[in-house]
Amino acid sequence: MQFVILDLEWNSGYCKRIQGFINEVIEFGAVKLDEQMQIIGQFSIFVRPEITRRLNATVRELTQLTNEDLKNGATFTYAVSKFKKFVGDSVLMSWSTADLDTLEANCTYYYGSQRIPFLHHYADVQEYFQALHEPVCKNQTALQNAAQELHIPIDDIPLHRAVGDSILTARILQKIYDAERFAPFIREADDEFYDRLNFHPVYLYHYDHPLVDKSQMYFLCPDCQQLCRQSDQWKVRNKAFHAAFECPACGQHYKGRIQFKQYYDGVKVTKRLLPAGQTDEE
């Protein structure tokens, strides 16, 4: 089994045809790895912008690319055909699914289909990293931050360029890779995979919503572990439920915060209990 780590650079702009903004791919960069996670191949190609002809200032500053660099680039469809040959039957990987979202948008624009032609099996390296580092990393970790945490040198890598970021992702994976642990993160790109990819998590903050589980809306006193008594009605603020609580056993007063977030596989409940005089920022 071989693996390909892909990274894209893209230019955001308004598209008249779809009457909305789109992230247009301007560079493919990738490295191919063997089963021992050693780099055995590299791929790089510029894509000539056709939707938004000029690079926006943020992209120019971040990537150091210019319109001159891209004017002789390939068309998106040609770049895809070349990359498809490079990938073959390898497992495609990336740092987060953001690149897949961009690919979907570009494939929809050029092919009329969300399906990515070279995607058969996929693994999210960021997701794997997060799973190994929870509960320390509760939020998604940026590529450079993960490298810093693992003490991986980056001075020799051109960051924010497609090949450079794919090489850095490879170095991270080389440091944390375990074949048995990694296997469950490899998913077949079937209908369910695309359903998951296109499902956008949403916060649930209407009290009568059928997925808001009322049985979760309680707190135990952190001092004596007794069930706290709710002392006012639930209020919604910042997409979360808030209410005051009091411990009947020790008399402590608290502020409770409960948030429901719906994901593809279900609803995640996050609860926080603070002393009455303390704010969330403290």
Side-chain angles (χ1 to χ4, degrees):
M1 181 182 294
Q2 294 181 337
F3 305 85
V4 169
I5 296 177
L6 170 67
D7 187 84
L8 302 174
E9 301 301 333
W10 60 72
N11 184 48
S12 182
Y14 185 81
C15 176
K16 291 182 179 179
R17 194 174 95 183
I18 66 173
Q19 296 185 340
F21 285 87
I22 186 172
N23 292 324
E24 183 178 8
V25 176
I26 57 174
E27 184 182 21
F28 281 77
V31 291
K32 181 175 286 188
L33 310 173
D34 61 17
E35 290 186 342
Q36 287 72 46
M37 292 296 127
Q38 298 303 307
I39 295 177
I40 57 174
Q42 185 171 304
F43 180 92
S44 178
I45 193 169
F46 286 137
V47 179
R48 183 174 65 253
E50 296 183 18
I51 304 172
T52 305
R53 297 301 177 94
R54 299 193 66 82
L55 297 179
N56 65 56
T58 301
V59 173
R60 290 199 306 270
E61 181 178 354
L62 191 66
T63 65
Q64 299 300 304
L65 288 173
T66 67
N67 292 291
E68 189 71 18
D69 293 324
L70 303 178
K71 73 175 186 178
N72 294 320
T75 63
F76 177 78
T77 54
Y78 179 81
V80 166
S81 67
K82 296 290 286 185
F83 187 65
K84 184 178 180 180
K85 292 179 182 178
F86 178 77
V87 174
D89 59 357
S90 302
V91 175
L92 187 72
M93 302 186 290
S94 62
W95 187 264
S96 89
T97 59
D99 285 332
L100 296 193
D101 293 336
T102 298
L103 278 171
E104 272 197 327
N106 282 252
C107 287
T108 300
Y109 183 87
Y110 287 105
Y111 300 125
S113 171
Q114 288 183 315
R115 295 302 174 108
I116 300 169
F118 47 77
L119 182 61
H120 307 292
H121 290 84
Y122 174 78
D124 181 350
V125 181
Q126 184 192 61
E127 181 187 16
Y128 178 61
F129 173 87
Q130 298 290 147
L132 296 182
H133 289 76
E134 286 184 350
V136 177
C137 299
K138 295 183 179 180
N139 298 318
Q140 290 185 330
T141 305
L143 181 62
Q144 288 177 250
N145 292 342
Q148 183 178 12
E149 183 173 331
L150 295 172
H151 306 291
I152 294 174
I154 61 175
D155 293 341
D156 61 328
I157 297 177
L159 299 175
H160 305 300
R161 289 294 304 276
V163 171
D165 285 352
S166 63
I167 291 173
L168 183 55
T169 304
R171 289 185 182 178
I172 290 172
L173 188 56
Q174 289 167 346
K175 191 110 176 192
I176 63 177
Y177 180 72
D178 177 274
E180 187 174 345
R181 285 186 173 185
F182 190 68
F185 290 87
I186 301 175
R187 299 182 174 96
E188 182 181 357
D190 54 13
D191 289 342
E192 182 184 349
F193 174 86
Y194 280 94
D195 288 343
R196 286 177 177 274
L197 183 64
N198 293 307
F199 185 89
H200 299 289
V202 294
Y203 290 101
L204 309 175
Y205 48 90
H206 295 291
Y207 187 79
D208 294 327
H209 194 288
L211 295 180
V212 172
D213 186 356
K214 312 298 190 301
S215 68
Q216 295 289 329
M217 301 179 77
Y218 71 90
F219 290 96
L220 298 178
C221 176
D223 291 333
C224 65
Q225 296 301 303
Q226 295 297 307
L227 182 66
C228 290
R229 180 173 57 231
Q230 187 175 340
S231 54
D232 69 354
Q233 293 184 338
W234 289 108
K235 300 178 180 64
V236 175
R237 189 171 66 253
N238 296 329
K239 300 180 180 180
F241 296 96
H242 298 258
F245 285 83
E246 178 184 358
C247 177
C250 63
Q252 295 289 338
H253 291 265
Y254 299 99
K255 296 186 302 182
R257 178 183 183 274
I258 300 179
Q259 194 167 59
F260 296 85
K261 192 172 185 180
Q262 183 182 1
Y263 293 88
Y264 182 87
D265 292 315
V267 177
K268 179 181 179 181
V269 183
T270 304
K271 302 165 68 171
R272 190 174 187 190
L273 191 66
L274 295 173
Q278 183 175 326
T279 64
D280 288 347
E281 290 75 24
E282 293 180 13

